[in-house]
Amino acid sequence: MTIFIQSLDYQLWNFIVNGPKVPTKTVKGIVTPKSENEFNDNDLKLLLNSKAKHVLFMWNLLEVTYEGTNQVKQSKISMLVHQYELFMMHDDESISDMFNRFTTINNSLKNLGKCYPN
């Protein structure tokens, strides 16, 4: 996601990491925020708030779509833990097929944040 956001606009990534930068002006030694009609081109580049919100919204949407909500994630973990705990070789299965199936279960658990030590 970092690379994707940086490819859209590198300043956008800085904005997400460091927070918003409000354009300011100094009047009689006092720093105050500029009003929108005082913004110049450089000030507008600093105001990437809506673009950042859009990218983060899309990221959250993709995350829920492909990983599911917390409830779906917990359900997947539960199912995979069940498969892991009851894992055994099937009668018509080769050792390499069994190993591939075991690796798939472990990798799926790891991707969902549940890891078993060696």
Side-chain angles (χ1 to χ4, degrees):
M1 190 61 187
T2 302
I3 294 169
F4 173 71
I5 293 172
Q6 288 174 347
S7 73
L8 291 175
D9 189 333
Y10 195 82
Q11 288 291 344
L12 181 61
W13 178 249
N14 288 332
F15 175 76
I16 290 170
V17 172
N18 300 321
K21 294 183 180 178
V22 177
T24 58
K25 62 182 178 183
T26 305
V27 178
K28 297 180 183 178
I30 300 172
V31 178
T32 58
K34 287 183 180 179
S35 63
E36 287 186 30
N37 60 353
E38 296 176 307
F39 290 169
N40 59 30
D41 289 340
N42 288 333
D43 294 336
L44 292 173
K45 287 180 184 177
L46 292 176
L47 295 173
L48 297 171
N49 191 23
S50 59
K51 192 173 185 179
K53 284 182 182 178
H54 173 72
V55 170
L56 292 175
F57 172 77
M58 292 303 295
W59 174 254
N60 288 335
L61 183 63
L62 287 171
E63 187 176 41
V64 168
T65 301
Y66 290 99
E67 290 183 12
T69 62
N70 284 338
Q71 187 177 8
V72 171
K73 186 176 178 180
Q74 289 304 317
S75 178
K76 287 179 183 178
I77 289 172
S78 231
M79 181 188 69
L80 289 165
V81 165
H82 182 74
Q83 289 176 7
Y84 178 88
E85 290 174 349
L86 299 177
F87 185 82
M88 60 188 316
M89 186 173 185
H90 296 144
D91 292 335
D92 59 344
E93 188 174 41
S94 69
I95 291 175
S96 70
D97 289 341
M98 179 191 73
F99 180 76
N100 287 337
R101 191 166 51 88
F102 187 72
T103 302
T104 300
I105 293 170
N106 276 328
N107 288 341
S108 298
L109 283 167
K110 185 176 180 181
N111 289 339
L112 291 169
K114 175 83 173 170
C115 296
Y116 286 100
N118 285 340

PDB file of all heavy atoms in Angstrom, residues 22-56:
ATOM      1  N   VAL A  22      -1.445  22.576   7.533  1.00  0.00           N
ATOM      2  CA  VAL A  22      -2.336  23.685   7.232  1.00  0.00           C
ATOM      3  C   VAL A  22      -1.481  24.873   6.799  1.00  0.00           C
ATOM      4  O   VAL A  22      -0.562  25.264   7.522  1.00  0.00           O
ATOM      5  CB  VAL A  22      -3.188  24.053   8.466  1.00  0.00           C
ATOM      6  CG1 VAL A  22      -4.069  25.250   8.183  1.00  0.00           C
ATOM      7  CG2 VAL A  22      -3.992  22.850   8.923  1.00  0.00           C
ATOM      8  N   PRO A  23      -1.754  25.447   5.614  1.00  0.00           N
ATOM      9  CA  PRO A  23      -0.992  26.621   5.179  1.00  0.00           C
ATOM     10  C   PRO A  23      -1.174  27.774   6.168  1.00  0.00           C
ATOM     11  O   PRO A  23      -2.282  28.043   6.636  1.00  0.00           O
ATOM     12  CB  PRO A  23      -1.612  26.966   3.822  1.00  0.00           C
ATOM     13  CG  PRO A  23      -2.244  25.704   3.356  1.00  0.00           C
ATOM     14  CD  PRO A  23      -2.693  25.006   4.594  1.00  0.00           C
ATOM     15  N   THR A  24      -0.076  28.412   6.506  1.00  0.00           N
ATOM     16  CA  THR A  24      -0.118  29.506   7.471  1.00  0.00           C
ATOM     17  C   THR A  24       0.492  30.765   6.888  1.00  0.00           C
ATOM     18  O   THR A  24       1.177  30.740   5.874  1.00  0.00           O
ATOM     19  CB  THR A  24       0.652  29.129   8.754  1.00  0.00           C
ATOM     20  OG1 THR A  24       2.002  28.819   8.401  1.00  0.00           O
ATOM     21  CG2 THR A  24       0.023  27.950   9.462  1.00  0.00           C
ATOM     22  N   LYS A  25       0.228  31.874   7.567  1.00  0.00           N
ATOM     23  CA  LYS A  25       0.827  33.164   7.214  1.00  0.00           C
ATOM     24  C   LYS A  25       1.276  33.819   8.511  1.00  0.00           C
ATOM     25  O   LYS A  25       0.778  33.516   9.593  1.00  0.00           O
ATOM     26  CB  LYS A  25      -0.165  34.040   6.470  1.00  0.00           C
ATOM     27  CG  LYS A  25      -1.397  34.400   7.286  1.00  0.00           C
ATOM     28  CD  LYS A  25      -2.374  35.220   6.493  1.00  0.00           C
ATOM     29  CE  LYS A  25      -3.615  35.502   7.373  1.00  0.00           C
ATOM     30  NZ  LYS A  25      -4.621  36.228   6.659  1.00  0.00           N
ATOM     31  N   THR A  26       2.229  34.712   8.404  1.00  0.00           N
ATOM     32  CA  THR A  26       2.718  35.432   9.567  1.00  0.00           C
ATOM     33  C   THR A  26       2.293  36.886   9.450  1.00  0.00           C
ATOM     34  O   THR A  26       2.632  37.563   8.479  1.00  0.00           O
ATOM     35  CB  THR A  26       4.253  35.332   9.672  1.00  0.00           C
ATOM     36  OG1 THR A  26       4.616  33.947   9.669  1.00  0.00           O
ATOM     37  CG2 THR A  26       4.768  35.995  10.930  1.00  0.00           C
ATOM     38  N   VAL A  27       1.522  37.325  10.407  1.00  0.00           N
ATOM     39  CA  VAL A  27       1.065  38.718  10.442  1.00  0.00           C
ATOM     40  C   VAL A  27       1.533  39.327  11.753  1.00  0.00           C
ATOM     41  O   VAL A  27       1.138  38.884  12.829  1.00  0.00           O
ATOM     42  CB  VAL A  27      -0.481  38.794  10.324  1.00  0.00           C
ATOM     43  CG1 VAL A  27      -0.952  40.239  10.416  1.00  0.00           C
ATOM     44  CG2 VAL A  27      -0.960  38.133   9.047  1.00  0.00           C
ATOM     45  N   LYS A  28       2.415  40.334  11.650  1.00  0.00           N
ATOM     46  CA  LYS A  28       2.951  41.029  12.826  1.00  0.00           C
ATOM     47  C   LYS A  28       3.580  40.040  13.809  1.00  0.00           C
ATOM     48  O   LYS A  28       3.374  40.117  15.014  1.00  0.00           O
ATOM     49  CB  LYS A  28       1.872  41.855  13.518  1.00  0.00           C
ATOM     50  CG  LYS A  28       1.317  42.963  12.660  1.00  0.00           C
ATOM     51  CD  LYS A  28       0.257  43.748  13.403  1.00  0.00           C
ATOM     52  CE  LYS A  28      -0.321  44.799  12.467  1.00  0.00           C
ATOM     53  NZ  LYS A  28      -1.389  45.577  13.107  1.00  0.00           N
ATOM     54  N   GLY A  29       4.306  39.067  13.270  1.00  0.00           N
ATOM     55  CA  GLY A  29       5.005  38.093  14.098  1.00  0.00           C
ATOM     56  C   GLY A  29       4.144  36.970  14.639  1.00  0.00           C
ATOM     57  O   GLY A  29       4.621  36.118  15.380  1.00  0.00           O
ATOM     58  N   ILE A  30       2.870  36.943  14.284  1.00  0.00           N
ATOM     59  CA  ILE A  30       1.968  35.891  14.751  1.00  0.00           C
ATOM     60  C   ILE A  30       1.619  34.980  13.582  1.00  0.00           C
ATOM     61  O   ILE A  30       1.188  35.439  12.528  1.00  0.00           O
ATOM     62  CB  ILE A  30       0.675  36.501  15.343  1.00  0.00           C
ATOM     63  CG1 ILE A  30       1.009  37.414  16.537  1.00  0.00           C
ATOM     64  CG2 ILE A  30      -0.285  35.403  15.773  1.00  0.00           C
ATOM     65  CD1 ILE A  30      -0.177  38.185  17.052  1.00  0.00           C
ATOM     66  N   VAL A  31       1.815  33.697  13.772  1.00  0.00           N
ATOM     67  CA  VAL A  31       1.521  32.707  12.736  1.00  0.00           C
ATOM     68  C   VAL A  31       0.051  32.308  12.858  1.00  0.00           C
ATOM     69  O   VAL A  31      -0.386  31.857  13.919  1.00  0.00           O
ATOM     70  CB  VAL A  31       2.431  31.468  12.873  1.00  0.00           C
ATOM     71  CG1 VAL A  31       2.083  30.427  11.833  1.00  0.00           C
ATOM     72  CG2 VAL A  31       3.894  31.862  12.775  1.00  0.00           C
ATOM     73  N   THR A  32      -0.695  32.459  11.762  1.00  0.00           N
ATOM     74  CA  THR A  32      -2.115  32.099  11.735  1.00  0.00           C
ATOM     75  C   THR A  32      -2.414  31.298  10.471  1.00  0.00           C
ATOM     76  O   THR A  32      -1.725  31.447   9.459  1.00  0.00           O
ATOM     77  CB  THR A  32      -3.019  33.349  11.756  1.00  0.00           C
ATOM     78  OG1 THR A  32      -2.687  34.163  10.634  1.00  0.00           O
ATOM     79  CG2 THR A  32      -2.844  34.141  13.030  1.00  0.00           C
ATOM     80  N   PRO A  33      -3.448  30.459  10.522  1.00  0.00           N
ATOM     81  CA  PRO A  33      -3.829  29.702   9.314  1.00  0.00           C
ATOM     82  C   PRO A  33      -4.359  30.646   8.232  1.00  0.00           C
ATOM     83  O   PRO A  33      -5.021  31.637   8.535  1.00  0.00           O
ATOM     84  CB  PRO A  33      -4.934  28.768   9.793  1.00  0.00           C
ATOM     85  CG  PRO A  33      -4.897  28.784  11.267  1.00  0.00           C
ATOM     86  CD  PRO A  33      -4.240  30.051  11.686  1.00  0.00           C
ATOM     87  N   LYS A  34      -4.046  30.324   6.985  1.00  0.00           N
ATOM     88  CA  LYS A  34      -4.554  31.107   5.851  1.00  0.00           C
ATOM     89  C   LYS A  34      -6.015  30.734   5.592  1.00  0.00           C
ATOM     90  O   LYS A  34      -6.415  29.597   5.818  1.00  0.00           O
ATOM     91  CB  LYS A  34      -3.766  30.806   4.572  1.00  0.00           C
ATOM     92  CG  LYS A  34      -2.387  31.375   4.530  1.00  0.00           C
ATOM     93  CD  LYS A  34      -1.766  31.067   3.173  1.00  0.00           C
ATOM     94  CE  LYS A  34      -0.373  31.617   3.047  1.00  0.00           C
ATOM     95  NZ  LYS A  34       0.212  31.289   1.732  1.00  0.00           N
ATOM     96  N   SER A  35      -6.779  31.689   5.091  1.00  0.00           N
ATOM     97  CA  SER A  35      -8.129  31.369   4.646  1.00  0.00           C
ATOM     98  C   SER A  35      -8.027  30.774   3.241  1.00  0.00           C
ATOM     99  O   SER A  35      -7.013  30.952   2.555  1.00  0.00           O
ATOM    100  CB  SER A  35      -9.014  32.615   4.650  1.00  0.00           C
ATOM    101  OG  SER A  35      -8.519  33.560   3.725  1.00  0.00           O
ATOM    102  N   GLU A  36      -9.071  30.069   2.805  1.00  0.00           N
ATOM    103  CA  GLU A  36      -9.014  29.381   1.510  1.00  0.00           C
ATOM    104  C   GLU A  36      -8.762  30.318   0.343  1.00  0.00           C
ATOM    105  O   GLU A  36      -8.105  29.943  -0.615  1.00  0.00           O
ATOM    106  CB  GLU A  36     -10.293  28.578   1.282  1.00  0.00           C
ATOM    107  CG  GLU A  36     -10.361  27.346   2.142  1.00  0.00           C
ATOM    108  CD  GLU A  36     -11.560  26.487   1.805  1.00  0.00           C
ATOM    109  OE1 GLU A  36     -12.015  26.482   0.643  1.00  0.00           O
ATOM    110  OE2 GLU A  36     -12.039  25.806   2.719  1.00  0.00           O
ATOM    111  N   ASN A  37      -9.269  31.537   0.392  1.00  0.00           N
ATOM    112  CA  ASN A  37      -9.058  32.462  -0.732  1.00  0.00           C
ATOM    113  C   ASN A  37      -7.632  33.000  -0.777  1.00  0.00           C
ATOM    114  O   ASN A  37      -7.245  33.654  -1.740  1.00  0.00           O
ATOM    115  CB  ASN A  37     -10.093  33.600  -0.717  1.00  0.00           C
ATOM    116  CG  ASN A  37     -10.032  34.428   0.548  1.00  0.00           C
ATOM    117  OD1 ASN A  37      -9.312  34.088   1.484  1.00  0.00           O
ATOM    118  ND2 ASN A  37     -10.800  35.496   0.571  1.00  0.00           N
ATOM    119  N   GLU A  38      -6.813  32.731   0.249  1.00  0.00           N
ATOM    120  CA  GLU A  38      -5.414  33.159   0.270  1.00  0.00           C
ATOM    121  C   GLU A  38      -4.453  32.058  -0.198  1.00  0.00           C
ATOM    122  O   GLU A  38      -3.258  32.304  -0.304  1.00  0.00           O
ATOM    123  CB  GLU A  38      -5.016  33.591   1.690  1.00  0.00           C
ATOM    124  CG  GLU A  38      -5.754  34.794   2.207  1.00  0.00           C
ATOM    125  CD  GLU A  38      -5.384  35.112   3.639  1.00  0.00           C
ATOM    126  OE1 GLU A  38      -5.481  34.203   4.492  1.00  0.00           O
ATOM    127  OE2 GLU A  38      -4.985  36.266   3.888  1.00  0.00           O
ATOM    128  N   PHE A  39      -4.971  30.869  -0.457  1.00  0.00           N
ATOM    129  CA  PHE A  39      -4.102  29.760  -0.861  1.00  0.00           C
ATOM    130  C   PHE A  39      -3.471  30.031  -2.216  1.00  0.00           C
ATOM    131  O   PHE A  39      -4.117  30.508  -3.132  1.00  0.00           O
ATOM    132  CB  PHE A  39      -4.881  28.447  -0.952  1.00  0.00           C
ATOM    133  CG  PHE A  39      -5.333  27.891   0.376  1.00  0.00           C
ATOM    134  CD1 PHE A  39      -6.229  26.847   0.414  1.00  0.00           C
ATOM    135  CD2 PHE A  39      -4.859  28.386   1.573  1.00  0.00           C
ATOM    136  CE1 PHE A  39      -6.663  26.310   1.609  1.00  0.00           C
ATOM    137  CE2 PHE A  39      -5.283  27.866   2.787  1.00  0.00           C
ATOM    138  CZ  PHE A  39      -6.183  26.824   2.801  1.00  0.00           C
ATOM    139  N   ASN A  40      -2.179  29.682  -2.326  1.00  0.00           N
ATOM    140  CA  ASN A  40      -1.508  29.704  -3.625  1.00  0.00           C
ATOM    141  C   ASN A  40      -1.315  28.253  -4.083  1.00  0.00           C
ATOM    142  O   ASN A  40      -1.767  27.321  -3.416  1.00  0.00           O
ATOM    143  CB  ASN A  40      -0.180  30.475  -3.542  1.00  0.00           C
ATOM    144  CG  ASN A  40       0.779  29.868  -2.522  1.00  0.00           C
ATOM    145  OD1 ASN A  40       0.768  28.668  -2.281  1.00  0.00           O
ATOM    146  ND2 ASN A  40       1.598  30.709  -1.912  1.00  0.00           N
ATOM    147  N   ASP A  41      -0.639  28.051  -5.206  1.00  0.00           N
ATOM    148  CA  ASP A  41      -0.467  26.692  -5.744  1.00  0.00           C
ATOM    149  C   ASP A  41       0.269  25.773  -4.778  1.00  0.00           C
ATOM    150  O   ASP A  41      -0.068  24.599  -4.641  1.00  0.00           O
ATOM    151  CB  ASP A  41       0.265  26.735  -7.086  1.00  0.00           C
ATOM    152  CG  ASP A  41      -0.599  27.307  -8.192  1.00  0.00           C
ATOM    153  OD1 ASP A  41      -1.843  27.305  -8.028  1.00  0.00           O
ATOM    154  OD2 ASP A  41      -0.042  27.757  -9.210  1.00  0.00           O
ATOM    155  N   ASN A  42       1.299  26.291  -4.119  1.00  0.00           N
ATOM    156  CA  ASN A  42       2.045  25.456  -3.161  1.00  0.00           C
ATOM    157  C   ASN A  42       1.172  25.067  -1.971  1.00  0.00           C
ATOM    158  O   ASN A  42       1.271  23.951  -1.467  1.00  0.00           O
ATOM    159  CB  ASN A  42       3.300  26.178  -2.675  1.00  0.00           C
ATOM    160  CG  ASN A  42       4.363  26.254  -3.742  1.00  0.00           C
ATOM    161  OD1 ASN A  42       4.417  25.402  -4.630  1.00  0.00           O
ATOM    162  ND2 ASN A  42       5.196  27.270  -3.674  1.00  0.00           N
ATOM    163  N   ASP A  43       0.320  25.996  -1.522  1.00  0.00           N
ATOM    164  CA  ASP A  43      -0.576  25.689  -0.415  1.00  0.00           C
ATOM    165  C   ASP A  43      -1.560  24.587  -0.795  1.00  0.00           C
ATOM    166  O   ASP A  43      -1.851  23.700  -0.002  1.00  0.00           O
ATOM    167  CB  ASP A  43      -1.358  26.935   0.011  1.00  0.00           C
ATOM    168  CG  ASP A  43      -0.464  28.015   0.593  1.00  0.00           C
ATOM    169  OD1 ASP A  43       0.635  27.673   1.076  1.00  0.00           O
ATOM    170  OD2 ASP A  43      -0.866  29.190   0.548  1.00  0.00           O
ATOM    171  N   LEU A  44      -2.063  24.647  -2.005  1.00  0.00           N
ATOM    172  CA  LEU A  44      -3.021  23.635  -2.464  1.00  0.00           C
ATOM    173  C   LEU A  44      -2.386  22.257  -2.535  1.00  0.00           C
ATOM    174  O   LEU A  44      -3.044  21.246  -2.293  1.00  0.00           O
ATOM    175  CB  LEU A  44      -3.622  24.034  -3.806  1.00  0.00           C
ATOM    176  CG  LEU A  44      -4.531  25.264  -3.767  1.00  0.00           C
ATOM    177  CD1 LEU A  44      -4.938  25.673  -5.180  1.00  0.00           C
ATOM    178  CD2 LEU A  44      -5.753  25.005  -2.910  1.00  0.00           C
ATOM    179  N   LYS A  45      -1.094  22.208  -2.857  1.00  0.00           N
ATOM    180  CA  LYS A  45      -0.398  20.918  -2.896  1.00  0.00           C
ATOM    181  C   LYS A  45      -0.286  20.313  -1.503  1.00  0.00           C
ATOM    182  O   LYS A  45      -0.245  19.097  -1.346  1.00  0.00           O
ATOM    183  CB  LYS A  45       0.986  21.079  -3.511  1.00  0.00           C
ATOM    184  CG  LYS A  45       0.952  21.309  -4.999  1.00  0.00           C
ATOM    185  CD  LYS A  45       2.347  21.461  -5.560  1.00  0.00           C
ATOM    186  CE  LYS A  45       2.281  21.779  -7.051  1.00  0.00           C
ATOM    187  NZ  LYS A  45       3.603  22.001  -7.621  1.00  0.00           N
ATOM    188  N   LEU A  46      -0.222  21.173  -0.494  1.00  0.00           N
ATOM    189  CA  LEU A  46      -0.131  20.670   0.875  1.00  0.00           C
ATOM    190  C   LEU A  46      -1.455  20.118   1.375  1.00  0.00           C
ATOM    191  O   LEU A  46      -1.497  19.326   2.302  1.00  0.00           O
ATOM    192  CB  LEU A  46       0.331  21.796   1.818  1.00  0.00           C
ATOM    193  CG  LEU A  46       1.754  22.302   1.642  1.00  0.00           C
ATOM    194  CD1 LEU A  46       2.014  23.464   2.582  1.00  0.00           C
ATOM    195  CD2 LEU A  46       2.758  21.190   1.879  1.00  0.00           C
ATOM    196  N   LEU A  47      -2.543  20.541   0.770  1.00  0.00           N
ATOM    197  CA  LEU A  47      -3.870  20.124   1.218  1.00  0.00           C
ATOM    198  C   LEU A  47      -4.325  18.864   0.492  1.00  0.00           C
ATOM    199  O   LEU A  47      -5.216  18.888  -0.335  1.00  0.00           O
ATOM    200  CB  LEU A  47      -4.885  21.255   0.996  1.00  0.00           C
ATOM    201  CG  LEU A  47      -4.637  22.503   1.827  1.00  0.00           C
ATOM    202  CD1 LEU A  47      -5.584  23.600   1.418  1.00  0.00           C
ATOM    203  CD2 LEU A  47      -4.788  22.179   3.298  1.00  0.00           C
ATOM    204  N   LEU A  48      -3.695  17.779   0.817  1.00  0.00           N
ATOM    205  CA  LEU A  48      -4.019  16.503   0.175  1.00  0.00           C
ATOM    206  C   LEU A  48      -4.974  15.682   1.036  1.00  0.00           C
ATOM    207  O   LEU A  48      -5.094  14.481   0.867  1.00  0.00           O
ATOM    208  CB  LEU A  48      -2.732  15.721  -0.086  1.00  0.00           C
ATOM    209  CG  LEU A  48      -1.757  16.389  -1.044  1.00  0.00           C
ATOM    210  CD1 LEU A  48      -0.440  15.632  -1.060  1.00  0.00           C
ATOM    211  CD2 LEU A  48      -2.329  16.460  -2.430  1.00  0.00           C
ATOM    212  N   ASN A  49      -5.643  16.329   1.951  1.00  0.00           N
ATOM    213  CA  ASN A  49      -6.497  15.637   2.903  1.00  0.00           C
ATOM    214  C   ASN A  49      -7.553  14.776   2.223  1.00  0.00           C
ATOM    215  O   ASN A  49      -7.707  13.599   2.534  1.00  0.00           O
ATOM    216  CB  ASN A  49      -7.147  16.651   3.836  1.00  0.00           C
ATOM    217  CG  ASN A  49      -7.823  15.981   5.011  1.00  0.00           C
ATOM    218  OD1 ASN A  49      -7.488  14.879   5.375  1.00  0.00           O
ATOM    219  ND2 ASN A  49      -8.790  16.664   5.582  1.00  0.00           N
ATOM    220  N   SER A  50      -8.297  15.339   1.288  1.00  0.00           N
ATOM    221  CA  SER A  50      -9.373  14.572   0.664  1.00  0.00           C
ATOM    222  C   SER A  50      -8.819  13.432  -0.177  1.00  0.00           C
ATOM    223  O   SER A  50      -9.397  12.347  -0.218  1.00  0.00           O
ATOM    224  CB  SER A  50     -10.256  15.480  -0.191  1.00  0.00           C
ATOM    225  OG  SER A  50      -9.508  16.102  -1.196  1.00  0.00           O
ATOM    226  N   LYS A  51      -7.704  13.642  -0.835  1.00  0.00           N
ATOM    227  CA  LYS A  51      -7.087  12.580  -1.631  1.00  0.00           C
ATOM    228  C   LYS A  51      -6.606  11.448  -0.710  1.00  0.00           C
ATOM    229  O   LYS A  51      -6.807  10.274  -1.002  1.00  0.00           O
ATOM    230  CB  LYS A  51      -5.924  13.148  -2.445  1.00  0.00           C
ATOM    231  CG  LYS A  51      -5.403  12.228  -3.504  1.00  0.00           C
ATOM    232  CD  LYS A  51      -4.378  12.945  -4.372  1.00  0.00           C
ATOM    233  CE  LYS A  51      -3.916  12.094  -5.512  1.00  0.00           C
ATOM    234  NZ  LYS A  51      -2.943  12.796  -6.357  1.00  0.00           N
ATOM    235  N   ALA A  52      -6.005  11.821   0.413  1.00  0.00           N
ATOM    236  CA  ALA A  52      -5.536  10.819   1.369  1.00  0.00           C
ATOM    237  C   ALA A  52      -6.711  10.034   1.940  1.00  0.00           C
ATOM    238  O   ALA A  52      -6.653   8.812   2.058  1.00  0.00           O
ATOM    239  CB  ALA A  52      -4.749  11.479   2.494  1.00  0.00           C
ATOM    240  N   LYS A  53      -7.782  10.732   2.283  1.00  0.00           N
ATOM    241  CA  LYS A  53      -8.962  10.047   2.815  1.00  0.00           C
ATOM    242  C   LYS A  53      -9.534   9.071   1.791  1.00  0.00           C
ATOM    243  O   LYS A  53      -9.944   7.971   2.134  1.00  0.00           O
ATOM    244  CB  LYS A  53     -10.030  11.063   3.208  1.00  0.00           C
ATOM    245  CG  LYS A  53      -9.744  11.773   4.504  1.00  0.00           C
ATOM    246  CD  LYS A  53     -10.877  12.733   4.840  1.00  0.00           C
ATOM    247  CE  LYS A  53     -10.597  13.506   6.102  1.00  0.00           C
ATOM    248  NZ  LYS A  53     -11.663  14.469   6.404  1.00  0.00           N
ATOM    249  N   HIS A  54      -9.539   9.468   0.527  1.00  0.00           N
ATOM    250  CA  HIS A  54     -10.052   8.598  -0.527  1.00  0.00           C
ATOM    251  C   HIS A  54      -9.206   7.331  -0.643  1.00  0.00           C
ATOM    252  O   HIS A  54      -9.737   6.224  -0.707  1.00  0.00           O
ATOM    253  CB  HIS A  54     -10.079   9.341  -1.864  1.00  0.00           C
ATOM    254  CG  HIS A  54     -10.439   8.471  -3.019  1.00  0.00           C
ATOM    255  ND1 HIS A  54     -11.719   7.999  -3.216  1.00  0.00           N
ATOM    256  CD2 HIS A  54      -9.683   7.967  -4.019  1.00  0.00           C
ATOM    257  CE1 HIS A  54     -11.729   7.238  -4.295  1.00  0.00           C
ATOM    258  NE2 HIS A  54     -10.509   7.205  -4.790  1.00  0.00           N
ATOM    259  N   VAL A  55      -7.909   7.487  -0.663  1.00  0.00           N
ATOM    260  CA  VAL A  55      -7.012   6.332  -0.788  1.00  0.00           C
ATOM    261  C   VAL A  55      -7.169   5.416   0.417  1.00  0.00           C
ATOM    262  O   VAL A  55      -7.252   4.189   0.277  1.00  0.00           O
ATOM    263  CB  VAL A  55      -5.546   6.791  -0.955  1.00  0.00           C
ATOM    264  CG1 VAL A  55      -4.594   5.631  -0.847  1.00  0.00           C
ATOM    265  CG2 VAL A  55      -5.368   7.497  -2.290  1.00  0.00           C
ATOM    266  N   LEU A  56      -7.240   5.979   1.624  1.00  0.00           N
ATOM    267  CA  LEU A  56      -7.400   5.164   2.821  1.00  0.00           C
ATOM    268  C   LEU A  56      -8.763   4.476   2.852  1.00  0.00           C
ATOM    269  O   LEU A  56      -8.872   3.322   3.282  1.00  0.00           O
ATOM    270  CB  LEU A  56      -7.201   6.013   4.075  1.00  0.00           C
ATOM    271  CG  LEU A  56      -5.765   6.504   4.280  1.00  0.00           C
ATOM    272  CD1 LEU A  56      -5.696   7.442   5.465  1.00  0.00           C
ATOM    273  CD2 LEU A  56      -4.801   5.352   4.444  1.00  0.00           C
TER     274      LEU A  56
END
